[in-house]
Amino acid sequence: MKNWFICLLLVISVSACSKDDTPETEAYEPTPLPLNIPKIFLDNIIAPIIPNSNPQTVEGVALGKKLFFDKKLSGDQTIACATCHSPQLAFTDNTPTSVGVAGNFGTRNSMPLFNLAWNFDERFAWDGKELSLERQALEPVQNPIEMHSNWQEVVSRLESDEDYPELFRLAFNTSTITKELATKAIAQFERTLISADSKFDKYSLGEASLTSQELNGLDVFLREDKGDCFHCHGTPTNPLWTDNIFHNNGLDSNFTDLGLGAVTGDTNDNGKFRSPSLRNLVYTTPYMHDGRFATLDEVIEFYSTGLKQSSTIDPLMKNIANGGVQLSASDKADLKAFLITLSDPSFTTNPDFQE
């Protein structure tokens, strides 16, 4: 009887030990984190694009945010994604063309990052060369002008870090770090960067009023015989304030940067660049793909009097023969006042987006 009891204790002990030794990761699942979609979007545009292969999770977003601000991703460990995409500047920078490692200047202005989950054609960058947000996050790390590193080196650094293996395990149920998982996490964080709390958003929801100047500026924006801006940048029923389509808007007669044409190889696409959102213009100076315009006044003057003819000029630029839409001084001032209402101060100070 005594021997049987001892054997039973041994069986229970072994069973308990075996249960304790079972890896927790077998039953672990990251915590789902649906995007917090603003009412202004729910009322006007379709659901965001979230890849089935990269669902949003609390742990994935936390990892992506840490990676976004981490200088370990650059070759000399002096810059991070956030260097060229600063939260305080609506996730862009304030230079005409962004500066990479060792002071290397690129050829393009850093695009602001917000409302990326509603880019329905899934083409990213000024020229549309990246076909998903996950793929877009791969390129800057290995670009010799930007972060001038390589993913093998970056992965090695992350593996040696005391925090990252566990953060990857929590985000993706594996401690194995890869560039694909790193960029998935960055993309998850970037999809949370939603801007929808501007003065005009509040006006659209019946929560604020616009001045007579701002209302006249909206009228200038929408009228084909005045600003004629809405074809590329939408109307109040499109709170993205961009069509996310590529246009030649009359910046140049000849092209040193082919834009979309360099990606597609089609000469009919030469000089075409993505229409940026008009949200947060207060924070995203300078303007255009090469940052050539330092102020919003210069942009308005360009569309009023500075358009240049070329072989691929967009048909929407109907006033090209006149050099522009020829706005009066008062209409220019009113249009500017309206455009400023599209900026969202809370976006640039949101603690969820800060380092």
Side-chain angles (χ1 to χ4, degrees), residues 26-267:
E26 289 183 5
Y28 173 76
E29 289 293 337
T31 311
L33 182 66
L35 289 183
N36 184 19
I37 303 176
K39 185 178 187 303
I40 194 75
F41 286 13
L42 288 171
D43 291 347
N44 291 287
I45 53 179
I46 63 176
I49 296 174
I50 308 294
N52 291 332
S53 60
N54 191 23
Q56 297 287 120
T57 68
V58 171
E59 297 82 2
V61 170
L63 172 59
K65 179 179 178 180
K66 182 174 174 63
L67 289 166
F68 189 89
F69 288 96
D70 199 332
K71 295 179 180 179
K72 288 187 178 72
L73 271 64
S74 64
D76 60 3
Q77 302 187 65
T78 60
I79 66 172
C81 303
T83 304
C84 297
H85 298 282
S86 167
Q88 292 76 27
L89 299 173
F91 287 88
T92 182
D93 59 22
N94 56 6
T95 60
T97 58
S98 296
V99 183
V101 299
N104 293 320
F105 278 88
T107 58
R108 302 258 179 88
N109 183 251
S110 177
M111 291 200 84
L113 304 178
F114 49 80
N115 302 338
L116 299 172
W118 287 271
N119 182 1
F120 298 121
D121 73 349
E122 283 286 272
R123 279 186 174 271
F124 292 88
W126 280 107
D127 56 10
K129 65 182 176 181
E130 306 298 347
L131 300 181
S132 74
L133 198 52
E134 286 76 7
R135 288 180 59 177
Q136 190 282 326
L138 280 170
E139 200 270 339
V141 169
Q142 55 205 23
N143 187 303
I145 297 176
E146 297 182 50
M147 302 179 89
H148 194 48
S149 188
N150 65 76
W151 275 104
Q152 184 177 357
E153 181 179 351
V154 169
V155 167
S156 178
R157 288 177 186 163
L158 300 180
E159 288 173 336
S160 300
D161 185 271
E162 63 180 1
D163 297 323
Y164 276 115
E166 175 64 4
L167 291 174
F168 272 84
R169 186 192 71 78
L170 292 172
F172 298 109
N173 206 10
T174 176
S175 296
T176 301
I177 298 175
T178 67
K179 65 181 181 181
E180 289 80 11
L181 292 180
T183 55
K184 278 187 174 183
I186 292 171
Q188 285 190 43
F189 171 63
E190 290 179 336
R191 288 190 176 99
T192 69
L193 305 178
I194 298 173
S195 176
D197 194 33
S198 68
K199 181 179 182 180
F200 194 86
D201 294 321
K202 292 183 174 71
Y203 168 76
S204 297
L205 294 170
E207 299 170 359
S209 300
L210 297 184
T211 67
S212 58
Q213 184 181 35
E214 291 163 349
L215 287 169
N216 186 61
L218 174 60
D219 183 65
V220 172
F221 182 92
L222 294 173
R223 283 177 56 173
E224 289 190 317
D225 64 338
K226 286 202 172 186
D228 197 21
C229 311
F230 69 94
H231 290 294
C232 298
H233 292 290
T235 68
T237 60
N238 171 15
L240 298 177
W241 294 103
T242 175
D243 61 4
N244 274 321
I245 295 175
F246 300 84
H247 300 279
N248 172 0
N249 63 341
L251 283 171
D252 299 297
S253 298
N254 300 294
F255 313 117
T256 55
D257 186 340
L258 298 182
L260 181 64
V263 176
T264 65
D266 185 344
T267 56

